[in-house]
Amino acid sequence: MSAALASGLSFAPVFTPQATAQETLMRTLTVTGQGEESVPTTKTQVNLGVDVQGSDATAVQREVAQRTAAVVELLRSRSVEKLETTGIQLSPRYNYENGRSEVIGYSGSNTVSFRMPTESVGSLLDDAVNAGANQIRGISFVAADSALESARQQALREAVADAQTQASAVLDSLNLTVQEVIGIQINGAAPPQPIPLQRAAEYAAASDDATTPVIGGEQTVRAQVTLQIRY
């Protein structure tokens, strides 16, 4: 009876979930695509400062406050964006001689940051100097948020297409066929850093018949997408 039962049995290979996963992994191509999209900058980010020196700390701080208030009032009247105070400082100035230090006065400063359309920045800087500002601590150029988001999406599409093109070239050369995408990873599509203008120095107002020229550039959004493709 046992022999008869044994003769009637047949054995088939058993594929466990683990074995299936290993087989899928063995037949997987991983490829990374690149995408890049450039957009013109239309906004300028400015860090504008007021620096004052004097012999009395109270007088220095008062003058800094008065001049900064005038600058802020001007900026608000021009409806600048993202206006904020980014730094306030008051510190003594020393004279060092014969191994000894002596307080000879005080330095005070206030810095405000704002953003506005690039085509209007030059004339505003000139007016801000007349209002009391005497330092440009930094200028950088940025694209509009909506333009950057559109560029990001386009860069991602380009990265996906690039990855698919690479995968097809490899598999076609090996007479293999793409079955399906089993994994997607976005490695990068962060907003680009603002483009800095290489100038941060004491500012002198433009002459009466000229406006300070400020010209932006382009920001480039880059993206990487990694695909895992079963073949």
Side-chain angles (χ1 to χ4, degrees):
M1 178 67 69
S2 298
L5 287 173
S7 63
L9 295 176
S10 61
F11 295 92
V14 178
F15 296 98
T16 65
Q18 181 178 2
T20 302
Q22 290 176 344
E23 175 67 16
T24 300
L25 184 61
M26 290 176 60
R27 297 186 62 84
T28 299
L29 173 66
T30 301
V31 61
T32 298
Q34 310 284 339
E36 182 176 298
E37 191 72 11
S38 295
V39 291
T41 60
T42 57
K43 301 289 182 71
T44 299
Q45 181 80 31
V46 181
N47 290 322
L48 199 61
V50 172
D51 283 2
V52 175
Q53 291 186 352
S55 59
D56 181 76
T58 302
V60 167
Q61 183 62 21
R62 183 185 303 114
E63 184 176 352
V64 169
Q66 291 173 345
R67 291 170 61 173
T68 303
V71 172
V72 169
E73 182 179 358
L74 169 68
L75 297 177
R76 285 176 172 162
S77 71
R78 301 292 179 86
S79 301
V80 300
E81 304 169 17
K82 301 184 178 181
L83 176 62
E84 61 178 344
T85 298
T86 57
I88 298 176
Q89 183 178 4
L90 178 66
S91 58
R93 294 185 298 119
Y94 293 95
N95 179 46
Y96 296 93
E97 188 174 355
N98 298 325
R100 301 180 63 181
S101 61
E102 178 185 5
V103 176
I104 59 173
Y106 294 86
S107 296
S109 67
N110 193 316
T111 302
V112 294
S113 174
F114 63 92
R115 182 178 295 186
M116 69 180 304
T118 298
E119 67 269 15
S120 302
V121 168
S123 60
L124 177 60
L125 290 178
D126 297 336
D127 293 342
V129 170
N130 292 329
N134 57 4
Q135 290 282 329
I136 297 178
R137 308 205 194 280
I139 287 182
S140 56
F141 303 104
V142 293
D145 292 341
S146 58
L148 287 174
E149 178 57 28
S150 296
R152 174 182 178 274
Q153 294 180 15
Q154 180 60 28
L156 286 170
R157 285 191 286 267
E158 293 174 4
V160 171
D162 181 38
Q164 291 176 319
T165 298
Q166 293 182 58
S168 295
V170 171
L171 295 178
D172 288 349
S173 67
L174 297 173
N175 294 321
L176 298 171
T177 303
V178 173
Q179 298 298 322
E180 62 178 335
V181 176
I182 61 173
I184 302 172
Q185 180 179 349
I186 299 175
N187 300 329
Q193 293 296 315
I195 303 170
L197 176 65
Q198 300 301 322
R199 178 182 180 184
E202 187 171 356
Y203 188 83
S207 60
D208 293 339
D209 59 349
T211 299
T212 300
V214 179
I215 303 172
E218 286 188 337
Q219 280 185 290
T220 300
V221 179
R222 296 179 176 85
Q224 286 186 339
V225 173
T226 297
L227 301 181
Q228 288 184 306
I229 299 174
R230 185 171 66 85
Y231 58 87

